[in-house]
Amino acid sequence: MELKQKEAYKGYRAYSYLTEGADYPKFDWADWDWAGRHVIELDAAQEARVEKLLKENVYLSLHDHPTLFPRRVDNLDDIYNVMRNGREMTAYEALAYSNLDCVFDNQLDGVNIISSPGGWKWIDIVHDLGMRLCDIAHQDFLVHVRTVDDIFAAKKAGKIGWVAVVEGAQCIENEVDRIDILYGLGVRQLGVTYSESNALGSGCKEDNDGGLTQFGKKCVERMNKVGMLIDVSHCGPKTAYDAVMHSSKPIIASHVGAKGIWPTKRMASDELIRAVGEKNGVIGIEAAPHTTMSKTNMTHDIDSFMEHFEYVANMIGIDHVGFGVDCLYGDHVGVHHAFANALSIANTSKAGVSYNEVPYVKYLENPTESSWNIPRWLVKHGYSDEDIAKVLGGNAIRVLREVWA
């Protein structure tokens, strides 16, 4: 595979309209390809087929964090200082090397500790969003997506569509109107809960799940009305199911795996997977370190990841599955270690068996690498052009046309 950047990228670096070290602190950022560049090998005919598929179809990620993290994440003071600074560094150069046409950016979210170690404060979410929007306004490679047409326009121009996402609704507290405010600020996807419970319902780390609350039902109804895509990835099983059933429009689980493959709290039950499919939604398969494991492959890599993909596709059909890889640019395993409690990893990632911890998820370590290898894996394993087009973006576009309209 020849590595080349999108021609529309002209070299912009995050916040380059300011002076680093004077207008904002200088930090030591990781190289986006710190773990190497891993590419699945194909023959010439397969290479040509991948190139044609990417040219003719929209490729989007339903869930990622396409920003640089600090080089050192083992020193908690260092990484906490970076997060408290509240100025995420979009990895424009790395994205320019990707095959993506659109990325759903979940921003700081679970590590948003600008004003509080507990995170998720309304003012911090707005700070994070506003800072990113200011940076994006000063460049012309990422296109802030508000409609489906924006995604296709970005692809046509050789650029990348950028969708603003808030991963959990804890920040709205008991104010349903804050959904309208987030929408007005350009957010187009909102998670019902992160891993811990909020006023809408229970998160996946809880021992008991009371389901979607009355306030949660109002919020689902409001998201349907304003055109906000609903995500149930981090919900408790009953809360997630209730949200799917209460919604009048399709919803997604943007970044999960199948509990039938790896039985942890973070994975989706067969009941939830079927419910999402029956309501015409999409399950996005994730690859954050040590999540989509499998007992047939105890090392987390693209094969265990794709085992979850095939399980879901076989259960509810190829029309209802896609990819929300949930990765970042930097040492993702190290970030998980640093923020284990905030990210609820200790509560949700154990399947009762030992496994081989990897330093990085080979072929899926960052949004760029995953965008190279997912279509290559699909081609290499004999999927049809029609099915590949669906899972790379067609299925998600179908849902967005119904929800964002």
Side-chain angles (χ1 to χ4, degrees):
M1 184 189 79
E2 180 184 358
L3 184 63
K4 54 186 178 181
Q5 290 185 325
K6 294 179 186 292
E7 293 183 1
Y9 176 64
K10 305 304 180 184
Y12 180 84
R13 302 295 179 119
Y15 307 105
S16 58
Y17 58 93
L18 299 175
T19 302
E20 186 182 43
D23 294 315
Y24 62 91
K26 183 175 182 178
F27 295 105
D28 184 19
W29 302 104
D31 296 328
W32 72 265
D33 54 354
W34 71 275
R37 299 179 180 182
H38 305 100
V39 181
I40 293 174
E41 293 186 5
L42 300 178
D43 62 30
Q46 292 169 330
E47 289 279 6
R49 189 172 161 220
V50 169
E51 185 174 351
K52 183 173 184 289
L53 281 163
L54 293 171
K55 182 179 179 179
E56 296 178 351
N57 300 284
V58 166
Y59 183 10
L60 61 80
S61 170
L62 282 168
H63 186 105
D64 264 313
H65 299 268
T67 51
L68 295 173
F69 275 67
R71 191 179 307 275
R72 291 285 304 276
V73 295
D74 54 341
N75 186 320
L76 295 186
D77 287 339
D78 285 352
I79 191 170
Y80 284 10
N81 285 338
V82 171
M83 299 301 106
R84 284 191 288 260
N85 178 60
R87 190 183 295 275
E88 285 188 276
M89 306 297 287
T90 305
Y92 293 102
E93 179 187 14
L95 285 169
Y97 281 113
S98 79
N99 289 321
L100 292 172
D101 299 306
C102 180
V103 59
F104 282 55
D105 188 335
N106 288 257
Q107 306 173 87
L108 283 174
D109 286 349
V111 295
N112 193 338
I113 57 171
I114 298 170
S115 68
S116 164
W120 293 106
K121 302 301 181 286
W122 171 252
I123 188 61
D124 292 350
I125 295 295
V126 174
H127 174 117
D128 184 24
L129 176 62
M131 193 69 75
R132 296 295 299 290
L133 289 174
C134 183
D135 185 43
I136 286 172
H138 283 82
Q139 55 80 61
D140 63 357
F141 177 58
L142 293 190
V143 177
H144 185 188
V145 168
R146 299 172 182 83
T147 68
V148 174
D149 288 344
D150 291 339
I151 297 175
F152 285 93
K155 179 176 178 62
K156 184 177 181 180
K159 301 180 180 182
I160 296 178
W162 180 84
V163 181
V165 178
V166 176
E167 195 167 347
Q170 184 163 331
C171 62
I172 74 172
E173 299 175 349
N174 63 342
E175 303 285 352
V176 70
D177 285 350
R178 286 185 176 177
I179 293 170
D180 304 55
I181 294 170
L182 289 174
Y183 187 92
L185 293 172
V187 174
R188 289 297 181 271
Q189 180 179 309
L190 180 63
V192 174
T193 69
Y194 192 63
S195 293
E196 59 189 23
S197 297
N198 59 32
L200 286 73
S202 297
C204 62
K205 80 172 186 180
E206 307 294 354
D207 294 329
N208 299 297
D209 181 0
L212 197 67
T213 65
Q214 292 300 318
F215 177 71
K217 292 178 180 178
K218 289 182 180 179
C219 290
V220 167
E221 293 163 6
R222 181 64 61 88
M223 285 190 271
N224 287 162
K225 289 176 180 177
V226 303
M228 185 79 79
L229 182 61
I230 300 171
D231 184 12
V232 296
S233 298
H234 279 274
C235 294
K238 188 175 189 307
T239 294
Y241 183 83
D242 288 352
V244 175
M245 302 311 294
H246 193 72
S247 178
S248 62
K249 295 183 178 181
I251 67 94
I252 64 170
S254 70
H255 60 299
V256 295
K259 191 169 289 189
I261 298 293
W262 192 244
T264 70
K265 288 186 174 183
R266 268 292 286 120
M267 301 294 94
S269 67
D270 289 358
E271 180 185 43
L272 177 61
I273 292 169
R274 291 192 180 97
V276 170
E278 289 169 1
K279 294 291 287 282
N280 206 32
V282 169
I283 300 289
I285 307 302
E286 81 155 296
H290 311 118
T291 53
T292 41
M293 303 279 293
S294 77
K295 292 183 178 180
T296 59
N297 185 355
M298 298 299 284
T299 299
H300 194 200
D301 61 12
I302 196 167
D303 290 322
S304 60
F305 168 82
M306 284 300 191
E307 191 171 338
H308 287 261
F309 163 75
E310 293 190 318
Y311 182 94
V312 174
N314 289 335
M315 180 183 297
I316 59 175
I318 202 74
D319 291 337
H320 303 290
V321 63
F323 301 101
V325 185
D326 190 18
C327 50
L328 47 82
Y329 295 102
D331 181 358
H332 203 166
V333 173
V335 172
H336 275 188
H337 288 164
F339 287 96
N341 291 328
L343 300 176
S344 304
I345 294 167
N347 302 81
T348 62
S349 64
K350 301 300 181 184
V353 294
S354 61
Y355 55 83
N356 301 318
E357 181 170 299
V358 294
Y360 57 87
V361 183
K362 190 175 182 180
Y363 301 114
L364 300 164
E365 176 58 15
N366 57 62
T368 298
E369 185 170 285
S370 65
S371 76
W372 299 338
N373 288 306
I374 289 172
R376 299 172 76 82
W377 191 99
L378 292 166
V379 165
K380 191 166 187 174
H381 286 78
Y383 281 81
S384 70
D385 287 3
E386 180 183 8
D387 286 348
I388 293 173
K390 287 178 179 180
V391 300
L392 292 186
N395 293 337
I397 292 294
R398 181 196 72 241
V399 172
L400 297 180
R401 287 196 185 282
E402 185 169 350
V403 174
W404 285 357

